[in-house]
């Protein structure tokens, strides 16, 4: 079993220009929002600050400068962590949940990495979670696995994704039941307006959610600005 130090990212949640949040080793981040609201850009921006990281891409559309792509879980298992930063897409004929399970168990065995999933709806059931994904979410903290998970349907994912979150970024949501799921976790919050890439930031230590400015975008694909790194 390999253990190697990964870097802490230093994302900033800014509303009035003074707010700042640091994601620490082994913490959980949940990013929620409807399609096109900015959640995938936020995920890529955060993952870009890590020297060892995996981006699970069920939609098959994610790209990051300098990150190679593994096609299928078998390809991923052969290449990671020798190639420390990988995007993983679904392989031909693979079952989505089995695909995620194999990836997650491999990350769990190695530890010390950032593990991002760009949309868990459709690959993780709220009623029958993937055993590997559940192990990463519930036991990965002490192994140094920082989990960053996106969803457009907070109502349709395992409740531990919200309840275990050390950081929550809430972009615009379409459905009332999804907004209620967020309110059950953080209380009443000011919904971000559509089409602005603004979001609400919340952490358990805060008295109330913080309204934050739009995310910084670069290039025609909204490539992430580099995040700071710190080696523990």
């Amino acid at each position: 079993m390999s253990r190697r130090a990964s870097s802490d990212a230093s994302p900033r949640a800014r509303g009035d220009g003074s707010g700042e949040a640091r994601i620490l080793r082994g913490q959980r981040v949940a990013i929620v929002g409807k399609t096109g609201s900015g959640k995938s850009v936020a995920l890529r921006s955060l993952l870009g600050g890590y020297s060892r990281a995996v981006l699970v891409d069920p939609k098959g559309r994610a790209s990051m400068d300098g990150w190679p792509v593994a096609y299928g879980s078998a390809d991923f298992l052969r290449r990671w962590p020798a190639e420390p930063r990988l995007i993983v897409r679904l392989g031909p004929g693979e079952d989505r949940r089995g695909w995620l399970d194999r990836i997650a168990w491999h990350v769990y065995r190695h530890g010390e990495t950032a593990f991002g999933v760009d949309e868990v709806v459709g690959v993780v059931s709220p009623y029958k979670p993937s055993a590997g994904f559940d192990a990463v979410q519930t036991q990965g903290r002490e192994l140094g696995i920082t989990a960053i998970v996106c969803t457009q349907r907070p109502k349709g994912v395992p409740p531990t994704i919200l309840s275990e979150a050390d950081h929550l970024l809430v972009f615009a949501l379409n459905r009332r039941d999804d907004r209620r799921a967020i309110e059950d976790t953080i209380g009443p919050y000011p919904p971000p307006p559509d089409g602005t890439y603004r979001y609400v930031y919340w952490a358990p230590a805060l008295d109330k959610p913080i309204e934050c400015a739009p995310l910084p975008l670069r290039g025609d694909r909204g490539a992430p600005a580099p995040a700071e790194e710190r080696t523990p």
Side-chain angles (χ1 to χ4, degrees):
M1 185 182 295
S2 171
R3 289 282 184 271
R4 188 162 69 86
S6 63
S7 299
D8 286 339
S10 182
R12 285 169 174 77
R14 294 192 178 276
D16 59 4
S18 62
E20 182 172 308
R22 178 180 289 277
I23 297 172
L24 301 177
R25 172 184 178 272
Q27 288 192 323
R28 271 86 195 92
V29 182
I31 307 173
V32 303
K34 68 177 188 177
T35 299
S37 62
K39 64 183 183 298
S40 295
V41 175
L43 171 63
R44 296 197 302 270
S45 183
L46 297 182
L47 283 180
Y50 290 86
S51 57
R52 188 159 100 166
V54 174
L55 173 54
V56 180
D57 178 25
K59 297 180 288 188
R61 299 195 298 266
S63 63
M64 293 180 68
D65 289 345
W67 287 49
V69 177
Y71 292 92
S73 56
D75 189 24
F76 170 71
L77 266 60
R78 282 193 299 268
R79 296 169 60 181
W80 190 87
E83 296 178 64
R85 303 166 94 187
L86 272 180
I87 297 169
V88 195
R89 294 180 181 165
L90 196 66
E94 275 196 290
D95 169 74
R96 285 175 174 265
R97 291 179 186 171
W99 166 75
L100 177 64
D101 208 41
R102 288 184 287 273
I103 295 166
W105 276 124
H106 193 58
V107 168
Y108 180 84
R109 293 185 193 104
H110 285 271
E112 297 295 346
T113 195
F115 177 70
V117 183
D118 191 0
E119 190 49 69
V120 291
V121 168
V123 292
V124 177
S125 165
Y127 311 108
K128 188 179 180 182
S130 149
F133 179 82
D134 191 55
V136 167
Q137 278 289 113
T138 60
Q139 303 170 44
R141 291 177 184 271
E142 56 268 33
L143 302 178
I145 301 171
T146 302
I148 308 173
V149 176
C150 280
T151 183
Q152 60 183 315
R153 290 298 323 279
K155 184 66 176 177
V157 299
T160 53
I161 289 176
L162 296 180
S163 64
E164 293 283 326
D166 301 287
H167 307 269
L168 178 59
L169 280 66
V170 183
F171 291 84
L173 289 163
N174 275 332
R175 296 173 60 112
R176 185 175 300 175
D177 56 346
D178 288 328
R179 293 193 292 272
R180 276 200 297 264
I182 298 301
E183 289 177 347
D184 288 344
T185 302
I186 70 175
Y189 72 98
D194 285 350
T196 63
Y197 272 35
R198 298 185 70 88
Y199 63 101
V200 169
Y201 172 78
W202 178 86
L206 293 176
D207 293 331
K208 61 181 181 179
I210 300 171
E211 295 181 71
C212 297
L215 287 163
L217 300 179
R218 290 189 176 186
D220 57 358
R221 296 184 183 176
E228 294 177 11
E229 290 196 2
R230 179 174 65 84
T231 301

